[in-house]
Amino acid sequence: PPPPPAPPLGSVPAPSPGLMSVPPGFSMPSMTPSLGTAGAGQEGGESEGALPNPGSFEECHRKCKEIFPVQMEGVKLVVNKGLSNHFQVNHTVALSTLGDSSYRFGATYVGTKQTGPAEAFPVMVGDMDNSGSLNAQVIHQLSTRLRSKLAFQTQQAKFVNWQGDLEFRGEDFTAAVTIGNPDVLTGSGIVVAHYLQSITPSLALGGELVYHRRPGEEGTVMSLAGKYTGSNFVATMTLGGAGAHASYYHKANDQLQVGVELEASSRMQETSVSFGYQLDLPKANLLFKGSVDSNWVVGATLEKKLPPLPLSLAMGAFLNHRKNKFQCGFGITIG
């Protein structure tokens, strides 16, 4: 399938949590916290000996990924405006020194079907930049355990990616299937199947099967995963034909969280190790993230909220010692 459009110039997205490259916006949103012991679909009357829902396959490495800083470049201004309890719009202006500057308009609608204290469906999210490229997704809770998602991307007047997801969460397992860019005329497309099963209250095992086909090419990639969740840590390992991915997340206390990642690619014949940490100072309304990896890339971001004003500031810097390159960014969010 054709490659997805480049990300906005104001930031560089974090790497995908899985072994496969997933287009932006093409991952199922989290339904439960990664450290939680009960799935969203569990009933209140279950026995104490029942195994918990393990979460989704794509969430396995998410807890560790979230504490790593996201690279910033240039200057970004984001203005969020709530028009009602269900509708919100935002404006994003990104000024870049490495490429063209851009403007994006986004809108979010949250429906009236309440499924939890902080969940309501359907959810419709979309944004369009000044060139006419559109990213949009619709998420809906079809039943207590079944959730669907439809996402698509256009690059100016051309469809680039579209994808449909269906996820079922049982009492102690999660199964999901994804179909991406299907084309009946050319016989191309991608099908991804995920399954994650709780073996014990702390241990979950599962697998991923990716089948892709296009004219002159057809293949399958399989990977297995294991996740062990403790009281204040999560250890995850994914191993497959594309390589290996291991992560360890540890919550030292309410202020400090640390994580270590090991990624090995069999295709690129490369291995990297990354260490990251997050320091949260709620009394100072300050959030700091830092990281260093085996390629001698050091990065950090600092986020500061300025109550009672609806204003937050963000600064980020990354230094690649091997390539002798430095990149920094500054962001302002209003609303």
Side-chain angles (χ1 to χ4, degrees):
L9 293 171
S11 65
V12 176
S16 172
L19 291 175
M20 303 299 296
S21 178
V22 181
F26 278 16
S27 61
M28 288 292 287
S30 175
M31 295 177 66
T32 57
S34 296
L35 284 176
T37 58
Q42 287 185 291
E43 303 291 339
E46 290 181 342
S47 62
E48 295 181 359
L51 294 175
N53 182 280
S56 71
F57 188 93
E58 293 181 347
E59 294 173 0
C60 286
H61 298 281
R62 180 175 295 178
K63 200 67 181 177
C64 184
K65 288 284 188 183
E66 287 177 346
I67 69 174
F68 281 78
V70 178
Q71 192 167 346
M72 303 174 64
E73 190 277 318
V75 179
K76 177 188 281 189
L77 171 65
V78 180
V79 180
N80 298 314
K81 175 65 175 178
L83 303 181
S84 70
N85 293 333
H86 303 281
F87 193 66
Q88 174 183 297
V89 297
N90 63 79
H91 307 268
T92 303
V93 178
L95 305 178
S96 173
T97 57
L98 301 179
D100 297 332
S101 300
S102 65
Y103 164 78
R104 304 185 75 90
F105 172 77
T108 302
Y109 171 78
V110 179
T112 57
K113 181 182 178 181
Q114 198 80 19
T115 60
E119 283 190 331
F121 294 92
V123 178
M124 292 182 284
V125 183
D127 67 80
M128 178 178 290
D129 64 14
N130 53 294
S131 67
S133 298
L134 173 69
N135 297 322
Q137 53 184 310
V138 180
I139 309 167
H140 190 51
Q141 191 83 15
L142 302 178
S143 67
T144 306
R145 301 184 183 275
L146 190 62
R147 173 175 293 191
S148 65
K149 178 180 177 181
L150 180 65
F152 65 89
Q153 295 176 307
T154 67
Q155 195 166 25
Q156 297 180 352
K158 296 181 179 180
F159 272 93
V160 178
N161 285 307
W162 78 274
Q163 177 172 317
D165 297 352
L166 194 63
E167 183 183 71
F168 180 83
R169 296 212 172 193
E171 295 180 1
D172 58 358
F173 72 92
T174 300
V177 62
T178 300
I179 300 177
N181 292 339
D183 192 331
V184 180
L185 298 179
T186 61
S188 63
I190 300 175
V191 179
V192 183
H194 293 147
Y195 185 81
L196 198 60
Q197 172 74 53
S198 291
I199 306 301
T200 70
S202 300
L203 178 64
L205 301 177
E208 176 188 62
L209 181 64
V210 181
Y211 171 78
H212 63 92
R213 179 180 179 181
R214 59 183 176 183
E217 182 180 346
E218 183 178 12
T220 303
V221 179
M222 183 178 180
S223 59
L224 302 176
K227 181 175 72 171
Y228 188 88
T229 304
S231 58
N232 62 344
F233 70 92
V234 179
T236 308
M237 177 70 177
T238 306
L239 183 63
H245 185 188
S247 66
Y248 177 79
Y249 162 84
H250 187 90
K251 184 176 182 179
N253 51 50
D254 291 338
Q255 288 77 40
L256 180 62
Q257 304 172 64
V258 297
V260 180
E261 275 194 312
L262 168 67
E263 294 183 274
S265 173
S266 58
R267 183 175 62 90
M268 301 294 296
Q269 298 294 311
E270 292 180 355
T271 303
S272 64
V273 180
S274 304
F275 170 78
Y277 66 94
Q278 175 179 301
L279 181 62
D280 188 6
L281 302 176
K283 292 184 178 180
N285 297 299
L286 196 66
L287 182 65
F288 182 83
K289 296 181 179 182
S291 68
V292 60
D293 62 23
S294 56
N295 295 317
W296 295 107
V297 178
V298 180
T301 59
L302 177 66
E303 299 179 21
K304 170 70 174 177
K305 294 183 180 179
L306 302 175
L309 299 176
L311 182 68
S312 63
L313 306 177
M315 295 180 291
F318 276 75
L319 175 62
N320 189 324
H321 288 83
R322 285 187 175 179
K323 297 182 179 180
N324 197 26
K325 290 185 178 181
F326 176 75
Q327 190 170 329
C328 64
F330 177 77
I332 302 175
T333 301
I334 303 175

